[in-house]
């Protein structure tokens, strides 16, 4: 590989790269830090940019540290572990602000105080392990090459303790592709998904559950993978668990989404649940993580999600928590917005996937003019794009704050509050 000598890292950019320049091209460098002088090996070169990885650090950043994880420079799960966590937060704040200004063309000078993860490691309650040739692990950065692991520092310790049993499963089940784990810290139990290209014998799965897996694994499902989607074939045992979040209790099924960083659950709720409203419309409600607390400050809440499993959980959770002023619909965000077009909405609560909102959804929002909007985002680029559209449609930005939901990784979660001018 060709080496680039004495590159100066100007700043960090979204994706976990340090940005430098070489012969008029932008160079995106893995495993570096701001204001470092480095040499780098080219991974791939395109017409207008180069992707590279650090070969030698000539002048080191004060924020650089030895990564605690022994797999860090091989596994692709983390991108910022070589930088201390305080600097990681600053980097993410700068990327979020720059995205709002550059992509959204928004005049945002400062962010509200960031909400920090209570732990920089052992915070994840969900894992998606890749499997190849009987080995369990994660893909290397930018490849489908498996890195075999015995532990992951991001995962809840209980999931790490389960890895030995999962590795035994990979030896017993031929052609296994992935293993997905969901853990409930409050219940101390797991749900497991076994992904195989062809249906796996149900009786064999049952015997493996009884003889190989600990009793804390309360349910196991067999799934196939179609693109990024999983299709359930069957499930053995219980297909759901419960999560306790402060005073709220949630049923969460194997196919439902729930917030991954358990150390931030209560902070996330406090960051968005404030004030009082008559009618609230919520899109992408999941299992009702935000819905149930929001229903306590609303006279009436209308929520929707395209995931049928999540909607069933949300409906159950409303009853479980004694909330009778919320209605859940299994439909797209666009359908929900169209259904309530023309009605007075005091608050629109948004928590879309990484792709953000569609242009049709944004158009309906601007036409209907809800009085306030809260937008929970997991992608600063689509957030900036969508907020820019809303600003041009008559909304002001009240506040934006970073939620450091995923320490050690480049992922940026944030909450924006908007008001109708």
């Amino acid at each position: 590989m060709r080496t680039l000598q004495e590159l100066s890292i100007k700043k960090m950019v979204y994706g976990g790269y340090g940005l430098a320049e070489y012969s008029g091209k932008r160079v995106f460098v893995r495993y570096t830090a701001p204001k470092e002088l480095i040499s780098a090996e080219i991974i791939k070169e395109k017409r207008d940019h180069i992707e590279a990885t650090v070969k030698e650090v000539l002048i080191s950043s004060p924020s650089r540290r030895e990564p605690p994880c022994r797999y860090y420079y091989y596994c692709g799960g983390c991108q910022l572990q070589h930088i201390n966590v305080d600097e990681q937060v600053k980097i993410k704040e700068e990327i979020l602000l720059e995205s709002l200004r550059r992509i959204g063309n928004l005049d945002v000078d400062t962010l509200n105080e960031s909400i920090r993860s209570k732990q920089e490691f052992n915070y994840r309650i969900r894992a998606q392990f890749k499997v190849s040739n009987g080995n369990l692990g994660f893909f290397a950065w930018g490849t489908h090459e498996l890195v075999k692991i015995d532990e992951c520092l991001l995962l809840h310790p209980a999931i790490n303790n389960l890895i030995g049993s999962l590795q035994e499963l990979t030896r017993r089940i031929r052609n296994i592709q992935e293993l997905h784990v969901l853990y409930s810290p409050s219940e101390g139990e797991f749900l497991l998904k076994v992904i195989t290209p062809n249906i796996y014998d149900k009786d064999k799965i049952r015997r493996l559950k009884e003889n190989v897996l600990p009793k804390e694994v309360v349910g196991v499902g067999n799934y196939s993978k179609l693109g990024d989607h999983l299709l359930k074939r069957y499930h053995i045992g219980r297909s759901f668990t419960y999560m306790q979040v402060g005073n709220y209790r949630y049923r969460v099924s194997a196919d439902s989404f729930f917030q991954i960083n358990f150390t931030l659950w209560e902070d996330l709720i406090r960051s968005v649940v404030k004030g009082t409203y008559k009618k609230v419309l919520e899109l992408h409600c999941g299992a009702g993580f935000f819905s149930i607390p929001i229903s306590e400050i609303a006279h009436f809440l209308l929520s929707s999600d395209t995931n049928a499993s999540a909607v069933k959980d949300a409906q159950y959770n409303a009853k479980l928590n004694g909330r009778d002023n919320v209605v859940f619909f299994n439909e797209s965000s666009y359908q929900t917005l169209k259904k309530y077009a023309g009605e007075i909405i005091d608050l629109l609560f948004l928590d879309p996937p990484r792709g953000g909102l569609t242009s049709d959804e944004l158009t309906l929002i601007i036409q209907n003019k809800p009085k306030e909007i809260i937008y929970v985002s997991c992608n600063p680029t689509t957030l900036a794009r969508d907020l820019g559209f809303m600003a041009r449609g008559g909304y002001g930005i009240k506040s934006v704050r970073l939620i450091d939901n995923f320490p050690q990784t480049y992922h940026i979660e944030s909450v924006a509050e908007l008001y109708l001018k």
Side-chain angles (χ1 to χ4, degrees):
M1 285 190 280
R2 190 155 67 95
T3 299
L4 304 178
Q5 304 290 345
E6 295 194 354
L7 292 179
S8 177
I9 303 300
K10 295 182 177 181
K11 61 182 180 180
M12 300 296 289
V13 297
Y14 190 57
Y17 298 94
L19 179 64
E21 284 189 6
Y22 178 81
S23 297
K25 288 185 178 182
R26 292 174 300 164
V27 186
F28 298 97
V29 189
R30 301 174 183 178
Y31 307 120
T32 188
K35 300 179 180 177
E36 288 191 326
L37 187 68
I38 57 136
S39 65
E41 289 186 339
I42 293 176
I43 297 171
K44 60 179 83 165
E45 186 167 2
K46 298 291 181 69
R47 184 174 56 84
D48 61 344
H49 73 275
I50 296 169
E51 187 173 343
T53 189
V54 166
K55 182 178 182 181
E56 184 181 1
V57 178
L58 305 172
I59 299 178
S60 179
S61 164
S63 63
R64 179 175 282 275
R65 68 178 180 183
E66 188 65 28
C69 177
R70 64 183 183 274
Y71 305 110
Y72 176 60
Y73 290 114
Y74 309 100
C75 170
C78 296
Q79 301 80 33
L80 301 176
Q81 209 181 108
H82 63 286
I83 300 172
N84 73 55
V85 74
D86 290 336
E87 185 66 21
Q88 287 183 34
V89 172
K90 290 178 185 176
I91 287 168
K92 291 178 182 182
E93 290 171 341
E94 289 168 3
I95 291 171
L96 178 55
L97 262 178
E98 185 184 359
S99 298
L100 294 171
R101 293 166 181 161
R102 181 175 55 84
I103 299 171
N105 198 26
L106 295 163
D107 186 18
V108 180
D109 295 326
T110 58
L111 302 174
N112 279 25
E113 185 179 357
S114 296
I115 297 177
R116 304 278 295 267
S117 178
K118 297 291 191 301
Q119 300 170 191
E120 63 167 309
F121 294 106
N122 301 127
Y123 59 82
R124 289 186 62 101
I125 61 159
R126 187 186 294 272
Q128 297 184 5
F129 295 105
K130 309 297 182 182
V131 181
S132 178
N133 298 319
N135 293 319
L136 176 146
F138 300 110
F139 289 148
W141 192 336
T143 77
H144 284 86
E145 179 184 340
L146 187 95
V147 177
K148 183 179 182 297
I149 62 133
D150 295 312
E151 68 169 345
C152 169
L153 296 186
L154 301 193
L155 299 181
H156 192 288
I159 299 180
N160 279 320
N161 291 337
L162 187 67
I163 287 177
S165 298
L166 299 180
Q167 288 174 331
E168 183 61 26
L169 274 191
T170 66
R171 290 189 280 268
R172 302 276 191 107
I173 301 176
R174 291 184 61 190
N175 297 325
I176 190 168
Q177 297 168 302
E178 296 181 14
L179 281 168
H180 295 191
V181 182
L182 175 65
Y183 177 69
S184 168
S186 55
E187 306 301 300
E189 59 189 29
F190 304 88
L191 298 176
L192 182 63
K193 293 181 180 179
V194 178
I195 293 91
T196 55
N198 302 306
I199 189 167
Y200 192 78
D201 186 271
K202 196 171 184 178
D203 289 332
K204 288 182 180 178
I205 285 277
R206 183 176 284 108
R207 287 196 293 272
L208 288 171
K209 178 181 178 299
E210 293 170 354
N211 300 323
V212 173
L213 298 172
K215 66 180 187 306
E216 288 81 11
V217 179
V218 297
V220 181
N222 183 218
Y223 290 73
S224 61
K225 192 165 189 180
L226 184 64
D228 292 330
H229 300 285
L230 295 183
L231 303 175
K232 182 166 67 177
R233 297 189 178 107
Y234 60 81
H235 198 94
I236 291 168
R238 184 146 44 82
S239 61
F240 60 86
T241 184
Y242 290 93
M243 307 283 184
Q244 190 72 34
V245 183
N247 295 324
Y248 305 109
R249 187 166 174 80
Y250 298 87
R251 184 185 77 180
V252 183
S253 296
D255 297 324
S256 298
F257 173 79
F258 204 77
Q259 292 289 332
I260 287 171
N261 186 336
F262 79 100
T263 77
L264 276 179
W265 283 345
E266 294 181 61
D267 288 323
L268 271 173
I269 290 171
R270 280 194 292 269
S271 73
V272 300
V273 179
K274 46 196 173 183
T276 56
Y277 302 93
K278 289 182 179 178
K279 184 181 284 188
V280 179
L281 193 63
E282 179 192 23
L283 308 180
H284 304 286
C285 65
F289 178 83
F290 290 113
S291 319
I292 306 307
I294 289 173
S295 72
E296 293 191 344
I297 61 168
H299 291 183
F300 196 55
L301 172 63
L302 303 157
S303 300
S304 72
D305 200 293
T306 55
N307 183 329
S309 170
V311 170
K312 288 178 181 176
D313 280 340
Q315 291 168 335
Y316 183 91
N317 291 332
K319 294 176 183 176
L320 186 63
N321 290 278
R323 307 308 304 162
D324 59 3
N325 62 333
V326 54
V327 178
F328 295 97
F329 302 98
N330 180 205
E331 61 188 15
S332 71
S333 298
Y334 179 76
Q335 288 173 308
T336 305
L337 288 167
K338 196 170 182 180
K339 182 191 296 183
Y340 294 102
E343 295 195 17
I344 295 173
I345 302 297
D346 297 290
L347 172 65
L348 175 63
F349 189 89
L350 306 168
D351 188 6
R354 292 179 58 77
L357 302 169
T358 67
S359 58
D360 289 340
E361 289 166 353
L362 284 164
T363 299
L364 283 175
I365 290 169
I366 297 304
Q367 288 174 351
N368 202 41
K369 300 191 183 307
K371 295 176 184 177
E372 295 181 33
I373 298 173
I374 294 178
Y375 189 138
V376 179
S377 167
C378 58
N379 185 336
T381 57
T382 54
L383 172 72
R385 178 201 67 197
D386 294 349
L387 294 192
F389 190 103
M390 292 176 185
R392 293 189 295 274
Y395 283 89
I397 310 296
K398 183 180 177 182
S399 70
V400 183
R401 75 192 313 175
L402 173 77
I403 312 289
D404 192 26
N405 221 11
F406 306 102
Q408 319 310 331
T409 79
Y410 72 86
H411 296 293
I412 294 175
E413 189 105 358
S414 58
V415 176
E417 297 180 55
L418 298 89
Y419 62 93
L420 187 62
K421 290 181 178 178

